[in-house]
Amino acid sequence: MESDSLQTLYYSINRLLFRIILTFVFIKMTTVNFIDKHIIDINKIRAQFPILSRKVNGKPLIYFDNGATAQKPIQVIDAVKKYYEYQNANIHRGVHTLSQEITVAYENARITVQKHLNAEHAHEIIFTKGTTDSINLVAHSFGKKYITKGDEIIISEMEHHSNILPWQQLCEEKGAILQVIPINDSGELLMDEYNKLLSSKTKIVAVTHISNVLGTINPIKEIIELAHAKNIPVLIDGAQAVPHTKADVQELDADFYCFSGHKLFGPTGVGVLYGKEKYLNEMPPYQVGGGTIKTVTFAKTEYADLPLKFEAGTPHVAGGIGLATAIDYVNEIGLDAIAAYENELLMYATNALHNINGIKIIGDATNKASVISFVIKGLHSFDLGTILDQLGIAVRTGHHCTQPLMQHFGIQGAVRISFAFYNTKEEIDEFIKGLERAIKMLS
Amino acid sequence: MSIEEIEQEIIDEFELFEDWMGKYEYLIDMGKSLPIIEDKYKTEDKLIKGCQSRVWMQSDLKDGKIIFTADSDAIITKGMVALMVRVLSNHTPDDILNAKLGFVDKIGLTQHLSPTRSNGLVSMIKQMKMDALAYKTQN
């Protein structure tokens, strides 16, 4: 009896211990998962970007010009290389194996983009040359169908020239009027003014998700809601947003959303236009030619269904595949982790810059991405950029293709630093030292 | 001195510097110490539009030679402008048209002439040569 109960006790203790160990292992596992999802492994990441190990003017490269274009991870480079070495064929045409394989791969790339933007249909994803091309497509095609004399198009004061000129040209052609949402001195859209601009004459609103100069993250959901209340469609320029934040086109209810592959760590020369099916179906083709048709006679042509209607000519196949690889890469790291890490860099750099004599940071919106533009009293951005370049530090200088915005702030140009998830606080320290040195030399 | 002799003089001066810092500091000093254009000429029509820095230039013909004065809002560009004015000013239109300006490469500042820099300097050299051509055809 005694030995029996002892044995029972022994088993009970064993079971208890086993449970404690299991619980411990479970907690440990979830913590590890949590860490994996929320912390950037900077050394591992940097090793995946070959260019980051090169030297410029004899100094290790510090690349702070991510707003202009982002660097490419080895995965993307390999995908493009593999395409040319192993997979090259024209898509949508051949009966041969290579053509069929690459057509599947290219269409899978479209699905990757669709999932990333959470678009309802894959055929709502049009591959373009980039954001500029996407906006031009909409301005031409939507303009042709829907814009007439006296209509109004709303953009904002902080737009990149690429989201001004296509609309300006359309207005000139059609006798329409370009309306501009003003901003405050922090670089935020004046939403009351925007609401006042919306009228029965407004045919489309085109605004940027994130400003390429100010870093301002615009309240695009609210912008879209206000426009939709008056049945006005909205185009969002997502060029600067996609590397930093998740855009869910269904949740936003965006009618058009544009971005470039190369700012999202993908190849240059490929971009995306998301458009709601109901608009894309109604809009006439923008460029016409091979690939866009069902039947052609000299009397009449019947155009293909979406998305091919908008994809004339042989597309940038390597670009599409490279872009899909880049999207997978970014999602593996996680856009939440990226945003959190970049916000840390933003805070760190902003604090350090505030200690520089004579500095003025252009744009201090409450909701801001990791982009900082600044001017130094009495110094020209070109001079600062030139000296920083000698120190191996790549920054952007000049008007950043936003001359109207420069006019708002009464400046000729600014120095801009823009971060990606592979940048570090140590690089910011080096940049601050370089900036101090440049200021000393130039003063 | 001929254009080529002045170019050689500048090449010799720049050879004294071992690193980029020295060169740029010299360029910056040149830019600072040369108020080379009268403010009344710093007008829109004298502006040579470059993408990044602005350059103003004025040319006058005096005794068969062209006198250039110029300025820029960026100090490094201003230094480069000062170099160009030093080389090309006070020469005949023919000499200016024939100038090869090889010194820029030899002093290691070629990057300022590359098309991507768009700093107004390339446009300025073009404008200087166009002015020379205009004065030449006038005579």
Side-chain angles (χ1 to χ4, degrees), chain A residues 293-298 300-302:
Chain A
I293 52 97
K294 274 182 186 159
T295 57
V296 178
T297 66
F298 285 117
K300 185 157 177 64
T301 293
E302 194 189 346

Side-chain angles (χ1 to χ4, degrees), chain A residues 115-132:
Chain A
K115 284 186 180 151
H116 188 66
L117 292 180
N118 191 31
E120 197 180 347
H121 308 290
H123 59 253
E124 291 175 319
I125 304 297
I126 313 292
F127 281 122
T128 64
K129 286 188 285 183
T131 310
T132 303

Side-chain angles (χ1 to χ4, degrees), chain A residues 175-407:
Chain A
I177 298 148
L178 196 63
Q179 297 283 12
V180 182
I181 312 165
I183 56 168
N184 63 22
D185 288 341
S186 289
E188 294 163 319
L189 294 176
L190 299 177
M191 292 298 282
D192 288 346
E193 297 299 316
Y194 165 59
N195 209 3
K196 280 186 223 161
L197 286 175
L198 290 165
S199 77
S200 57
K201 288 181 189 162
T202 313
K203 288 291 144 70
I204 191 166
V205 174
V207 289
T208 190
H209 191 165
I210 292 181
S211 159
N212 68 317
V213 174
L214 310 162
T216 310
I217 303 172
N218 283 323
I220 53 167
K221 197 169 161 63
E222 195 186 337
I223 288 170
I224 293 167
E225 272 170 11
L226 287 168
H228 283 183
K230 293 181 175 161
N231 291 318
I232 303 161
V234 180
L235 174 144
I236 302 294
D237 170 355
Q240 293 293 330
V242 283
H244 308 293
T245 183
K246 188 102 184 160
D248 180 328
V249 292
Q250 288 193 79
E251 198 244 324
L252 291 166
D253 202 16
D255 302 283
F256 300 101
Y257 194 97
C258 316
F259 70 89
S260 300
H262 71 97
K263 291 192 206 293
L264 186 56
F265 317 96
T268 54
V270 68
V272 166
L273 167 66
Y274 158 79
K276 274 187 192 160
E277 187 183 33
K278 65 170 179 178
Y279 288 112
L280 293 180
N281 269 335
E282 292 299 313
M283 284 158 53
Y286 166 47
Q287 293 179 331
V288 291
T292 62
I293 52 97
K294 274 182 186 159
T295 57
V296 178
T297 66
F298 285 117
K300 185 157 177 64
T301 293
E302 194 189 346
Y303 286 98
D305 294 330
L306 293 174
L308 300 184
K309 179 171 107 176
F310 288 108
E311 295 182 352
T314 297
H316 186 3
V317 182
I321 286 166
L323 172 58
T325 311
I327 289 173
D328 287 341
Y329 178 83
V330 165
N331 283 330
E332 203 167 301
I333 299 172
L335 274 163
D336 287 343
I338 288 172
Y341 178 74
E342 287 178 350
N343 196 47
E344 251 179 67
L345 295 180
L346 173 71
M347 296 302 156
Y348 188 78
T350 306
N351 284 337
L353 281 170
H354 276 309
N355 295 326
I356 302 271
N357 270 339
I359 195 164
K360 187 181 175 227
I361 292 178
I362 309 297
D364 54 352
T366 319
N367 211 356
K368 189 173 166 169
S370 58
V371 173
I372 311 173
S373 292
F374 63 87
V375 289
I376 307 270
K377 204 178 171 198
L379 299 183
H380 198 289
S381 65
F382 170 80
D383 290 328
L384 290 165
T386 304
I387 302 295
L388 287 169
D389 174 53
Q390 290 296 320
L391 297 165
I393 304 167
V395 300
R396 176 82 193 270
T397 63
H399 57 61
H400 313 284
C401 299
T402 55
Q403 288 183 9
L405 185 62
M406 297 290 113
Q407 287 150 20

Side-chain angles (χ1 to χ4, degrees), chain B residues 92-103:
Chain B
T92 63
D94 271 329
D95 287 349
I96 292 165
L97 282 168
N98 293 329
K100 300 273 189 295
L101 303 174
F103 79 103

Side-chain angles (χ1 to χ4, degrees), chain A residues 59 380 382-383 386-387 389-391 397-399 412 437 441-443, chain B residues 20-21 24-25 28 32 52-54 73-77 111 117 119:
Chain A
K59 315 281 192 312
H380 198 289
F382 170 80
D383 290 328
T386 304
I387 302 295
D389 174 53
Q390 290 296 320
L391 297 165
T397 63
H399 57 61
Q412 282 286 332
R437 193 168 164 189
M441 273 180 81
L442 294 164
S443 301
Chain B
W20 69 273
M21 278 272 291
Y24 274 84
E25 273 168 355
I28 289 162
K32 278 185 200 163
Q52 301 242 333
S53 51
R54 294 184 297 171
D73 56 351
I75 193 77
I76 293 172
T77 309
Q111 52 164 304
R117 295 303 279 207
N119 62 354

